Amino acid sequence: MGDEYADDRTGTAPDSEVNTESDAETDGGVRAYTVRLELVDEPGELLRALAPIADNGGNLLSIHHERGNITPRGHIPVEVDFESPPERFDDIVDGLREAGVNVIQAGEEHYGEEISVVLVGHLVENDLSDTLSRIESEIDAAVLDLSLAAPQGTESVSSARLRLAIDSGRSSQALEAIRSIGSEKELTVVEPLVGGETA
Amino acid sequence: MKLAILGAGDVGRSVATLSGDYGHEVVALADSSSATVDPDGIAVDDAVSRKERGEVVGTAAPEDVFETEYDVLVEATPTTLDDAEPGFSHVTRALEADRHVVLANKGPVAERYEELRSLEAESAGSIRFEATVGGAIPVLSTIEDCTPQAVTAVRGVLNGTANFILTRMAAEGLDYEHVLAEAQDLGVAEADPTFDVDGTDAALKFVILANVLNDGGFSLSDATVEGIQDIPGSALDLAAEDGRTIRLIGEATRDGVRVGPRLVPENGALAVTGTRNIVQIETRHAGSLHSSGRGAGGPETATAVLSDVGRLE
Ligand SMILES: NC(=O)c1ccc[n+]([C@@H]2O[C@H](COP(=O)([O-])OP(=O)(O)OC[C@H]3O[C@@H](n4cnc5c(N)ncnc54)[C@H](OP(=O)(O)O)[C@@H]3O)[C@@H](O)[C@H]2O)c1
């Protein structure tokens, strides 16, 4: 009956069915978490970024540093696994943000969100890469992937599906911003249905 | 109960035909230019077959309907926007005569909800309108049972034509125009499908839902509405690559009404196929409830009308 506890705001007793990214509850009451960070490509940046984890009682497990894989904004995505007592997790994420680290996704559903949208219209003529970089900068999102379908050629109406990582709890603001970029560029925006049990 | 039925289209005729099964008597049936009226019960089959042969329904004037003794007026004339006439005046006349009204016509409840409720407050009669939302699916009675205060939002698919088109586009990889023509051939889409595909019909239903949740305050002009005419087959293909599909989804809350094409999980509850409708009622204390079924059609809609009549007894 995980649903009954889905609204657990204290974070002290996360229900295993609620957390998709963190499993393995160990004896000492610590849990494993995964956070996805975006770092600027500068020496020392990684160490600086990781400091708030240890400072707040977290224990690093692994770092997945995708050097070759640069986000459209020129940042390097890094996935960090660590364990911590559940009640310290919020402090760790706050600590990372205070240190100026862009936390795109965190292991608990309160912090990480992925949304997909489909855009329809004269995407290429209307400068698709400008559309993407505006989405990234105006809503502080990372475009995780993009698929374009232009069956009648790029001169004509085409569709694109974007998968975006955004700060959690921000999906309605993000979608609102995408809607307004879409209407400026005369694109139809097919949004995901957020809210309710959509599954 | 003695029923007076205004409108002898698919809905009005089905209500007339099925009334006997539900233990009610039809004392009047009218179309736009004529009526048949009999205080002891009209000959329903004769009137319906006259209408189906393309004749008028009877020899009396539509006006005469209001002069007869009836308990419930069934309003099944065409849905109109803005002033919602002639439906609104029909409801007014019945309430002023202290009779009950059951509507299939969405216009008055979507466009002039508060006026209807204040007329009702002055009358010994009451209004019910289950048939206006989701055809045979019990949507309004479910909300009534949960109590509107305990419902936070209603979402779902409430237009079968648009849903059919999107389903076929996704399954066959065809474009909108192609599938629309097919839907017209099959009789799923009307010759003029504008209100179905541009979202207006679904929006009227979600406006009615918002009025029920909020006890009024909304009309069509308050809704944000987008249709499906601009969705190409390629958008559905891309959605499918990601385990999703596109449906014309409406949302009604106390804050507003929105209808538009949305991405939903392909195997999720809201991705009903064909002409099926579904509603998801989000409750404060009990999670979401889903009901799906046939959202349109003469007998389906008549079933909802006759359930309402039963609740008035
Ligand atoms: N069909 C559905 O599945 C469905 C579902 C839910 C709600 N509804 C609503 O139910 C209502 C009826 O639908 P329908 O499909 O039966 O429509 P329809 O086939 O267009 O029939 C409308 C009927 O109303 C009659 N009418 C027009 N003006 C009138 C007037 N002033 N007085 C008396 N009768 C008048 C028409 O007369 P003539 O025959 O002389 O033209 C016709 O018989 C509509 O408001 C519709 O939106 C329909």
Side-chain angles (χ1 to χ4, degrees):
Chain A
M1 290 294 285
D3 290 352
E4 290 180 19
Y5 305 98
D7 201 22
D8 176 15
R9 289 197 190 84
T10 63
T12 49
D15 188 90
S16 60
E17 286 184 50
V18 176
N19 298 293
T20 45
E21 304 239 344
S22 54
D23 21 298
E25 182 149 7
T26 59
D27 286 344
V30 297
R31 298 180 59 89
Y33 294 95
T34 302
V35 295
R36 191 183 142 95
L37 315 175
E38 280 189 9
L39 303 181
V40 281
D41 192 6
E42 276 169 19
E45 182 63 14
L46 183 63
L47 276 181
R48 192 181 72 82
L50 297 180
I53 296 177
D55 292 351
N56 288 289
N59 180 29
L60 272 177
L61 297 174
S62 71
I63 301 168
H64 189 60
H65 194 177
E66 306 165 70
R67 266 201 155 270
N69 184 1
I70 289 184
T71 71
R73 271 189 299 166
H75 293 177
I76 302 173
V78 180
E79 254 180 37
V80 181
D81 296 324
F82 62 89
E83 47 185 28
S84 84
E87 65 273 17
R88 301 300 304 276
F89 180 69
D90 286 9
D91 297 336
I92 292 176
V93 174
D94 291 346
L96 289 167
R97 291 199 166 131
E98 275 161 28
V101 177
N102 193 9
V103 184
I104 290 298
Q105 226 184 326
E108 280 216 308
E109 62 177 10
H110 315 291
Y111 293 101
E113 248 175 72
E114 245 182 61
I115 53 171
S116 292
V117 294
V118 171
L119 306 179
V120 177
H122 291 275
L123 291 166
V124 180
E125 275 175 26
N126 282 327
D127 196 350
L128 183 57
S129 65
D130 172 67
T131 306
L132 297 183
S133 58
R134 283 191 56 191
I135 288 175
E136 291 210 310
S137 58
E138 285 174 34
I139 69 175
D140 201 13
V143 176
L144 299 176
D145 64 45
L146 163 78
S147 313
L148 184 70
Q152 266 114 55
T154 52
E155 313 282 88
S156 144
V157 168
S158 50
S159 308
R161 188 189 71 240
L162 309 184
R163 200 156 58 86
L164 304 169
I166 54 169
D167 268 0
S168 62
R170 292 274 206 84
S171 55
S172 48
Q173 291 98 312
L175 289 167
E176 203 178 303
I178 296 174
R179 266 204 303 278
S180 84
I181 296 171
S183 72
E184 241 177 80
K185 296 196 157 218
E186 293 180 13
L187 305 175
T188 301
V189 179
V190 183
E191 294 171 38
L193 186 67
V194 293
E197 292 157 35
T198 51
Chain B
M1 296 273 229
K2 290 181 187 299
L3 310 186
I5 304 171
L6 293 182
D10 288 340
V11 175
R13 291 197 311 274
S14 293
V15 172
T17 306
L18 296 176
S19 291
D21 293 356
Y22 286 75
H24 307 300
E25 196 178 18
V26 182
V27 294
L29 174 65
D31 58 23
S32 62
S33 62
S34 77
T36 170
V37 178
D38 186 336
D40 298 321
I42 63 163
V44 169
D45 292 346
D46 295 347
V48 166
S49 25
R50 275 197 297 281
K51 194 69 200 166
E52 283 172 351
R53 284 198 302 271
E55 297 165 26
V56 294
V57 87
T59 49
E63 273 298 303
D64 298 345
V65 171
F66 291 98
E67 307 306 323
T68 187
E69 276 301 313
Y70 63 91
D71 300 308
V72 183
L73 185 81
V74 174
E75 222 301 333
T77 68
T79 292
T80 55
L81 307 183
D82 304 318
D83 67 1
E85 292 294 1
F88 186 83
S89 295
H90 294 156
V91 181
T92 305
R93 279 182 82 164
L95 287 174
E96 282 174 354
D98 290 326
R99 309 296 165 75
H100 299 301
V101 183
V102 171
L103 294 105
N105 177 354
K106 298 174 272 281
V109 241
E111 299 287 54
R112 303 178 71 177
Y113 188 86
E114 301 81 4
E115 290 171 80
L116 283 188
R117 287 302 191 194
S118 49
L119 286 165
E120 184 190 34
E122 301 292 306
S123 170
S126 32
I127 55 170
R128 301 196 62 91
F129 42 93
E130 178 70 77
T132 60
V133 179
I137 310 171
V139 181
L140 298 177
S141 56
T142 306
I143 295 175
E144 193 174 7
D145 288 347
C146 296
T147 76
Q149 302 85 286
V151 174
T152 50
V154 184
R155 303 188 175 83
V157 172
L158 285 177
N159 186 278
T161 305
N163 203 68
F164 176 89
I165 292 173
L166 291 171
T167 307
R168 292 286 296 163
M169 285 173 69
E172 307 296 328
L174 295 170
D175 262 317
Y176 171 78
E177 275 79 22
H178 198 114
V179 175
L180 174 60
E182 178 198 62
Q184 285 168 324
D185 290 345
L186 289 171
V188 170
E190 290 173 43
D192 179 3
T194 311
F195 281 1
D196 292 316
V197 299
D198 76 0
T200 303
D201 173 72
L204 286 170
K205 295 166 185 169
F206 282 97
V207 166
I208 293 170
L209 286 164
N211 278 332
V212 169
L213 296 187
N214 197 51
D215 198 20
F218 298 95
S219 67
L220 185 61
S221 58
D222 301 307
T224 304
V225 189
E226 271 177 81
I228 62 165
Q229 310 96 308
D230 295 333
I231 304 296
S234 61
L236 284 148
D237 293 344
L238 286 178
E241 282 173 17
D242 201 23
R244 287 159 215 250
T245 190
I246 298 174
R247 288 290 183 266
L248 184 65
I249 302 280
E251 292 180 88
T253 65
R254 286 178 181 73
D255 300 322
V257 174
R258 202 174 148 199
V259 172
R262 306 291 281 272
L263 285 170
V264 294
E266 206 166 18
N267 300 315
L270 294 186
V272 285
T273 57
T275 56
R276 254 184 125 66
N277 286 19
I278 183 160
V279 290
Q280 177 192 61
I281 298 173
E282 197 175 284
T283 66
R284 243 182 252 292
H285 312 296
S288 295
L289 308 170
H290 290 93
S291 1
S292 80
R294 296 192 194 165
E300 290 83 354
T301 308
T303 300
V305 167
L306 289 163
S307 308
D308 270 350
V309 172
R311 290 194 178 88
L312 289 168
E313 277 179 304

